[in-house]
Structures are given as C-alpha cells and as structure tokens.
Amino acid sequence: MERQAKKQKPRRPAGEKVQADPGKLKVLLDARVASTPPKSLLGKTLNSALKQWDRLVVYLEDGRLRPDTNLAEDAIRPFAVGRKNWLFSCHPRGADVSATISSLIESAKANGLESYRDLWHLFELLAAATTDTQRKALLAQYLDPCSIIISA
C-alpha cells in the first residue's frame, strides 16, 4: 500500500485551474503524426486535429466554450420527446408559434431566469417595443433577473 502511495503523483487540489498550453500540444501532435501511419484510426484523428487546429485552439483558449452541442440537445430534449403531442399545430403558423414559445422558454432557462416571469415580462413590454434594438433588449440573454418586474 505504501509503495503505491509513493509511486502516485500528488493530486491537484480541487478547484485549481489547469492552464492549457496550445503550443506544447501542437508540438506533440506534429511529432506524433510523423510516426503514425496516416490510414490508421490514430493517424486520421491526428490529421483531423491538425487540419482543424485554428478552430481547436479556440476551445483551449476560452474554457467557457464547448466543442459539442450537448447543452443545446439536453435543453430541447423535452420538446423533441413530446413533439407527437403537438399535433394540435395543424397549421404551419401554429407550429411556428410553438417553436418560438419553446425557444423563449429554453432561452430563459439557459440564462438562469424563471421562464414564466420572463415570458410575462416579454409579453408586457413587447407591444411597446418599436425598434429591433428594443425588441432585442427583451430577449433572455440580455436581461438581468432583477430587472424583470411583473405588474399586478
């Protein structure tokens, strides 16, 4: 047991950030691609990573970005599962309205807003918005939760 403890590297404390170094990763990929058969699975993966390097490095530089759409897919899953129940959208305009409302609700959730309050706020102020800038300011991503006021 003690031998295993000595061999293991000390772990980073929880919450400590790891700084990615794209330069070191690029050097490693370049070295590895030279010694890997290009038709192998690893060779194809390395070549793909190097061809997409400019896009890949964006994710390394900004940790808030995600290279997948899992969050968006998880957000729309309840609506995708229930789409058979939406047969009441017998007209394309009805389907368009359903999609718009669903998008507004999920945008509110994604931005940490209570969807009912956000929709109430939106519908209260939408009629008074006359410009695209005013309408854009009502979207969930531009709202401060404290600014949402529901009149009685």
PDB file of all heavy atoms in Angstrom, residues 69-80 102 106-107 109-110:
ATOM      1  N   THR A  69     -22.580  20.028 -28.821  1.00  0.00           N
ATOM      2  CA  THR A  69     -23.889  20.663 -28.685  1.00  0.00           C
ATOM      3  C   THR A  69     -24.721  19.983 -27.604  1.00  0.00           C
ATOM      4  O   THR A  69     -25.948  20.072 -27.624  1.00  0.00           O
ATOM      5  CB  THR A  69     -24.640  20.607 -30.021  1.00  0.00           C
ATOM      6  OG1 THR A  69     -24.767  19.240 -30.417  1.00  0.00           O
ATOM      7  CG2 THR A  69     -23.929  21.408 -31.096  1.00  0.00           C
ATOM      8  N   ASN A  70     -24.074  19.322 -26.657  1.00  0.00           N
ATOM      9  CA  ASN A  70     -24.800  18.568 -25.637  1.00  0.00           C
ATOM     10  C   ASN A  70     -25.758  19.438 -24.831  1.00  0.00           C
ATOM     11  O   ASN A  70     -26.877  19.018 -24.530  1.00  0.00           O
ATOM     12  CB  ASN A  70     -23.830  17.858 -24.695  1.00  0.00           C
ATOM     13  CG  ASN A  70     -23.111  16.717 -25.374  1.00  0.00           C
ATOM     14  OD1 ASN A  70     -23.510  16.275 -26.442  1.00  0.00           O
ATOM     15  ND2 ASN A  70     -22.041  16.241 -24.776  1.00  0.00           N
ATOM     16  N   LEU A  71     -25.346  20.642 -24.450  1.00  0.00           N
ATOM     17  CA  LEU A  71     -26.226  21.507 -23.666  1.00  0.00           C
ATOM     18  C   LEU A  71     -27.484  21.862 -24.447  1.00  0.00           C
ATOM     19  O   LEU A  71     -28.592  21.833 -23.907  1.00  0.00           O
ATOM     20  CB  LEU A  71     -25.495  22.779 -23.237  1.00  0.00           C
ATOM     21  CG  LEU A  71     -24.393  22.598 -22.196  1.00  0.00           C
ATOM     22  CD1 LEU A  71     -23.686  23.929 -21.937  1.00  0.00           C
ATOM     23  CD2 LEU A  71     -24.943  22.034 -20.906  1.00  0.00           C
ATOM     24  N   ALA A  72     -27.313  22.205 -25.713  1.00  0.00           N
ATOM     25  CA  ALA A  72     -28.473  22.558 -26.539  1.00  0.00           C
ATOM     26  C   ALA A  72     -29.372  21.338 -26.746  1.00  0.00           C
ATOM     27  O   ALA A  72     -30.597  21.438 -26.674  1.00  0.00           O
ATOM     28  CB  ALA A  72     -28.024  23.113 -27.884  1.00  0.00           C
ATOM     29  N   GLU A  73     -28.761  20.177 -26.970  1.00  0.00           N
ATOM     30  CA  GLU A  73     -29.553  18.963 -27.168  1.00  0.00           C
ATOM     31  C   GLU A  73     -30.328  18.598 -25.909  1.00  0.00           C
ATOM     32  O   GLU A  73     -31.493  18.206 -25.981  1.00  0.00           O
ATOM     33  CB  GLU A  73     -28.642  17.813 -27.593  1.00  0.00           C
ATOM     34  CG  GLU A  73     -28.102  17.972 -29.000  1.00  0.00           C
ATOM     35  CD  GLU A  73     -27.054  16.939 -29.356  1.00  0.00           C
ATOM     36  OE1 GLU A  73     -26.906  15.946 -28.612  1.00  0.00           O
ATOM     37  OE2 GLU A  73     -26.384  17.121 -30.381  1.00  0.00           O
ATOM     38  N   ASP A  74     -29.685  18.742 -24.742  1.00  0.00           N
ATOM     39  CA  ASP A  74     -30.379  18.455 -23.490  1.00  0.00           C
ATOM     40  C   ASP A  74     -31.528  19.429 -23.257  1.00  0.00           C
ATOM     41  O   ASP A  74     -32.559  19.062 -22.694  1.00  0.00           O
ATOM     42  CB  ASP A  74     -29.404  18.520 -22.309  1.00  0.00           C
ATOM     43  CG  ASP A  74     -28.420  17.355 -22.301  1.00  0.00           C
ATOM     44  OD1 ASP A  74     -28.660  16.374 -23.031  1.00  0.00           O
ATOM     45  OD2 ASP A  74     -27.412  17.440 -21.571  1.00  0.00           O
ATOM     46  N   ALA A  75     -31.331  20.684 -23.681  1.00  0.00           N
ATOM     47  CA  ALA A  75     -32.370  21.689 -23.483  1.00  0.00           C
ATOM     48  C   ALA A  75     -33.600  21.422 -24.338  1.00  0.00           C
ATOM     49  O   ALA A  75     -34.727  21.659 -23.904  1.00  0.00           O
ATOM     50  CB  ALA A  75     -31.819  23.080 -23.791  1.00  0.00           C
ATOM     51  N   ILE A  76     -33.402  20.906 -25.548  1.00  0.00           N
ATOM     52  CA  ILE A  76     -34.558  20.698 -26.431  1.00  0.00           C
ATOM     53  C   ILE A  76     -35.145  19.294 -26.329  1.00  0.00           C
ATOM     54  O   ILE A  76     -36.198  19.034 -26.893  1.00  0.00           O
ATOM     55  CB  ILE A  76     -34.216  21.006 -27.904  1.00  0.00           C
ATOM     56  CG1 ILE A  76     -33.183  20.029 -28.447  1.00  0.00           C
ATOM     57  CG2 ILE A  76     -33.791  22.446 -28.070  1.00  0.00           C
ATOM     58  CD1 ILE A  76     -32.987  20.115 -29.943  1.00  0.00           C
ATOM     59  N   ARG A  77     -34.501  18.410 -25.582  1.00  0.00           N
ATOM     60  CA  ARG A  77     -34.987  17.036 -25.491  1.00  0.00           C
ATOM     61  C   ARG A  77     -36.442  16.935 -25.034  1.00  0.00           C
ATOM     62  O   ARG A  77     -37.220  16.183 -25.634  1.00  0.00           O
ATOM     63  CB  ARG A  77     -34.085  16.207 -24.582  1.00  0.00           C
ATOM     64  CG  ARG A  77     -34.471  14.734 -24.556  1.00  0.00           C
ATOM     65  CD  ARG A  77     -33.428  13.854 -23.901  1.00  0.00           C
ATOM     66  NE  ARG A  77     -32.261  13.749 -24.762  1.00  0.00           N
ATOM     67  CZ  ARG A  77     -31.057  14.236 -24.466  1.00  0.00           C
ATOM     68  NH1 ARG A  77     -30.855  14.851 -23.321  1.00  0.00           N
ATOM     69  NH2 ARG A  77     -30.049  14.108 -25.292  1.00  0.00           N
ATOM     70  N   PRO A  78     -36.872  17.674 -23.998  1.00  0.00           N
ATOM     71  CA  PRO A  78     -38.286  17.557 -23.607  1.00  0.00           C
ATOM     72  C   PRO A  78     -39.244  17.904 -24.742  1.00  0.00           C
ATOM     73  O   PRO A  78     -40.314  17.309 -24.858  1.00  0.00           O
ATOM     74  CB  PRO A  78     -38.431  18.558 -22.460  1.00  0.00           C
ATOM     75  CG  PRO A  78     -37.056  18.766 -21.950  1.00  0.00           C
ATOM     76  CD  PRO A  78     -36.140  18.555 -23.109  1.00  0.00           C
ATOM     77  N   PHE A  79     -38.859  18.841 -25.568  1.00  0.00           N
ATOM     78  CA  PHE A  79     -39.727  19.227 -26.677  1.00  0.00           C
ATOM     79  C   PHE A  79     -39.664  18.208 -27.806  1.00  0.00           C
ATOM     80  O   PHE A  79     -40.667  17.923 -28.448  1.00  0.00           O
ATOM     81  CB  PHE A  79     -39.367  20.620 -27.180  1.00  0.00           C
ATOM     82  CG  PHE A  79     -39.630  21.658 -26.142  1.00  0.00           C
ATOM     83  CD1 PHE A  79     -38.605  22.172 -25.369  1.00  0.00           C
ATOM     84  CD2 PHE A  79     -40.918  22.103 -25.903  1.00  0.00           C
ATOM     85  CE1 PHE A  79     -38.861  23.114 -24.399  1.00  0.00           C
ATOM     86  CE2 PHE A  79     -41.181  23.041 -24.938  1.00  0.00           C
ATOM     87  CZ  PHE A  79     -40.152  23.545 -24.177  1.00  0.00           C
ATOM     88  N   ALA A  80     -38.491  17.644 -28.034  1.00  0.00           N
ATOM     89  CA  ALA A  80     -38.367  16.630 -29.084  1.00  0.00           C
ATOM     90  C   ALA A  80     -39.137  15.368 -28.704  1.00  0.00           C
ATOM     91  O   ALA A  80     -39.783  14.746 -29.548  1.00  0.00           O
ATOM     92  CB  ALA A  80     -36.897  16.313 -29.324  1.00  0.00           C
ATOM     93  N   SER A 102     -41.315  27.707 -27.371  1.00  0.00           N
ATOM     94  CA  SER A 102     -40.354  26.744 -26.823  1.00  0.00           C
ATOM     95  C   SER A 102     -38.961  27.345 -26.758  1.00  0.00           C
ATOM     96  O   SER A 102     -38.244  27.171 -25.775  1.00  0.00           O
ATOM     97  CB  SER A 102     -40.320  25.474 -27.671  1.00  0.00           C
ATOM     98  OG  SER A 102     -41.575  24.855 -27.674  1.00  0.00           O
ATOM     99  N   GLU A 106     -36.790  27.919 -23.275  1.00  0.00           N
ATOM    100  CA  GLU A 106     -35.467  27.314 -23.080  1.00  0.00           C
ATOM    101  C   GLU A 106     -34.368  28.370 -22.979  1.00  0.00           C
ATOM    102  O   GLU A 106     -33.397  28.184 -22.244  1.00  0.00           O
ATOM    103  CB  GLU A 106     -35.163  26.306 -24.182  1.00  0.00           C
ATOM    104  CG  GLU A 106     -36.031  25.063 -24.106  1.00  0.00           C
ATOM    105  CD  GLU A 106     -35.954  24.346 -22.768  1.00  0.00           C
ATOM    106  OE1 GLU A 106     -34.866  24.239 -22.169  1.00  0.00           O
ATOM    107  OE2 GLU A 106     -37.014  23.891 -22.302  1.00  0.00           O
ATOM    108  N   SER A 107     -34.513  29.492 -23.683  1.00  0.00           N
ATOM    109  CA  SER A 107     -33.537  30.585 -23.559  1.00  0.00           C
ATOM    110  C   SER A 107     -33.568  31.172 -22.160  1.00  0.00           C
ATOM    111  O   SER A 107     -32.527  31.495 -21.582  1.00  0.00           O
ATOM    112  CB  SER A 107     -33.826  31.687 -24.580  1.00  0.00           C
ATOM    113  OG  SER A 107     -33.599  31.218 -25.875  1.00  0.00           O
ATOM    114  N   LYS A 109     -34.467  29.573 -19.396  1.00  0.00           N
ATOM    115  CA  LYS A 109     -33.834  28.596 -18.510  1.00  0.00           C
ATOM    116  C   LYS A 109     -32.317  28.635 -18.636  1.00  0.00           C
ATOM    117  O   LYS A 109     -31.600  28.593 -17.641  1.00  0.00           O
ATOM    118  CB  LYS A 109     -34.325  27.184 -18.845  1.00  0.00           C
ATOM    119  CG  LYS A 109     -35.740  26.899 -18.434  1.00  0.00           C
ATOM    120  CD  LYS A 109     -36.067  25.460 -18.828  1.00  0.00           C
ATOM    121  CE  LYS A 109     -37.512  25.109 -18.658  1.00  0.00           C
ATOM    122  NZ  LYS A 109     -37.782  23.733 -19.136  1.00  0.00           N
ATOM    123  N   ALA A 110     -31.831  28.703 -19.874  1.00  0.00           N
ATOM    124  CA  ALA A 110     -30.379  28.701 -20.113  1.00  0.00           C
ATOM    125  C   ALA A 110     -29.701  29.930 -19.525  1.00  0.00           C
ATOM    126  O   ALA A 110     -28.519  29.891 -19.205  1.00  0.00           O
ATOM    127  CB  ALA A 110     -30.097  28.623 -21.608  1.00  0.00           C
TER     128      ALA A 110
END
